[in-house]
Amino acid sequence: RHGWCGTCFGTGEIIESFTEEQTGEEEVWLDTQESDEEPAPEPICCPVCAGQRLNPTALAVRLEKRSIADFTALSVVDAEREVEKLRFGKKEEAIARDLLPELKSRLRFLGKVGLGYLSLNRAAPTLSGGEAQRIRLASQLGSNLQGVCYILDEPTIGLHARDNALLIATLRDLQQQGNTVIVVEHDDATMAEADHLIDVGPGAGSRGGEIVAQGTLSQLKKNKASLTGRFLARPLRHPLPDLRNQTQRADFAAETLRIEGATLHNLRSLSVDIPLRRLVAVSGVSGSGKSSLIRGVLLDNLRAALRAGTLRRKLPALTGCSAMEGWQSIDRLLQVDQTPIGKTPRSCPASYVGIFDIIRKLFADTVDARLRGYGPGRFSFNVAGGRCETCAGNGMRRIEMSFLPDVRVDCEECHGWRFNEDTLAVRYKDRHIGQVLAMSVDEAVEFFAPVPLVHHPLQLLQEVGLGYLTLGQQSPTLSGGEAQRIKLVTELAKAKPSVQLRRNTKQHALYILDEPTVGLHMADVEKLLRVLHRLVDAGNSVIVIEHNLDVIAEADWVIDMGPEGGKEGGNVVAQEVPEKIAKAKKSHTGKFLAGVLGMQASGSAADV
């Protein structure tokens, strides 16, 4: 509070309902509205500090005639150039001696991983996923330490193939400085650069936990026991056979959604046509404007238009673009992202997918349950009556340890089953409710084979590579990729029965996915592609913001943004089928896509 602007409390913007007490507590006030809630009003620049966030006293302090706001308004590249120019007297030199090398190394690292265009004062919520990931890396890796063991968990998340190469080169530099670099990764380019590979498996969940293979890249490729090795030796060949149902898609008339004059963030008054009832991939380097176009312009405006139609209101004014046409055939809009499917241990895949209610009814219909007068609510661990009251249905108890982290242990009363003895006495096919929730999806598919309403969603979970999850697994333990695939399955389970109906109607659903391949092995990417095409075969539109080249290669249409990030981006570089994108000279995506498709990058696509 000593330095911030007293009007905006250091945010640079006038934000509704934001108070002095909330400064620094972003999770309290950041926009987290659901699809059916009114969107938050656009913040406006603070009129007192003109967006500089500081009060006049703080801005009065100068370094080489610049205030701190002037300096942080510079881009990474410009800031690095200005720092190199700094010259100090003897007294100032002693103060700056240890600071300048740290500042230079961090700015240099940001430039190395392709973030030279970012201004230092850029607001964190406006960063793309790839930009945020690389900034976090810079905070850890930007120093010139030696003898350090760096452990990175999927550092390539959100990075374009070109930026990947920059990151890999940086990691190699770290190793050559005398450090050890351990990377948990699915990216094949990172694996190809590694000196030593350790493949864990053979499956996931309870079927994993073993070292399947280890050695060099060539050794792994020759190891028949390694699924990773097999995919590295024989990558997916595109186009994958039998992926699309061309006959079924031919039943749907060609439709196009058009956006004109998009100007949100770095978008440069661009106009773009998006084919509907197709799988459309939106590609481009990090910060090129993909999320601004699809989430900021398309999603927000379409959500507002559909809400107005539902409430029989007048269509609201468009934000971020001058016109949007051809959207009227869309009656449902679903954003499938990687936010958790539940924030408490009481949420689980069975409840989210919608089969837990049916399972509880099956137990309530048993002879034992009817004799005891038990209804479906008896078999819920969320309400009193059937659950274990010692652990309140959590199955575990938290024990506070002095000077040590809290420890979680199985409840001594229910032994982790979450229900009391009377409830566990009721059996369905010789299993009590606790044992059913402890089943893996693979096991449950066979167990519930005679129950279509349960069997079908379970089969879909199996098909997207989630057969290892247990039905009652606590949602906070799921990764972002797992949560996103569970959301997809939930929607797919709803979509399948309506295929015949939607074939004879103009209305359909639009699915928007933001990097659904995060955390996925190459084998799981293939399974995901089949699920996405199944949604399209059912007559729906699917738009995927993606860097994964296998997904881009299998799209029906690609919109490539760029050519660079930030101020150098915001244009449509090319929009065509993958084979023509691979020939676009101006497209960074095309250069890498050509290799995946087994082509030479030459010629030109529909360059803009």
Side-chain angles (χ1 to χ4, degrees), residues 246-314:
Q246 298 289 15
T247 305
Q248 193 155 295
R249 292 190 189 188
D251 293 345
F252 302 115
E255 300 174 41
T256 301
L257 187 154
R258 180 168 179 79
I259 295 172
E260 295 182 359
T263 55
L264 185 68
H265 298 144
N266 69 333
L267 299 179
R268 300 191 174 192
S269 298
L270 63 84
S271 297
V272 62
D273 293 321
I274 303 173
L276 297 179
R277 303 183 192 270
R278 294 292 182 266
L279 175 58
V280 178
V282 183
S283 61
V285 298
S286 299
S288 58
K290 302 184 298 297
S291 294
S292 295
L293 175 64
I294 301 302
R295 296 175 64 179
V297 177
L298 173 61
L299 178 66
D300 288 354
N301 283 310
L302 191 52
R303 179 186 287 158
L306 291 176
R307 186 186 298 116
T310 303
L311 300 175
R312 298 177 182 271
R313 293 178 182 171
K314 182 181 177 182

Side-chain angles (χ1 to χ4, degrees), residues 490-503:
T490 304
E491 294 304 325
L492 195 62
K494 297 174 185 174
K496 187 166 184 177
S498 61
V499 173
Q500 298 297 329
L501 176 66
R502 285 190 176 273
R503 210 182 264 183

Side-chain angles (χ1 to χ4, degrees), residues 65 251 355 426 505 545:
K65 299 182 180 180
D251 293 345
I355 60 174
V426 177
T505 183
I545 302 171

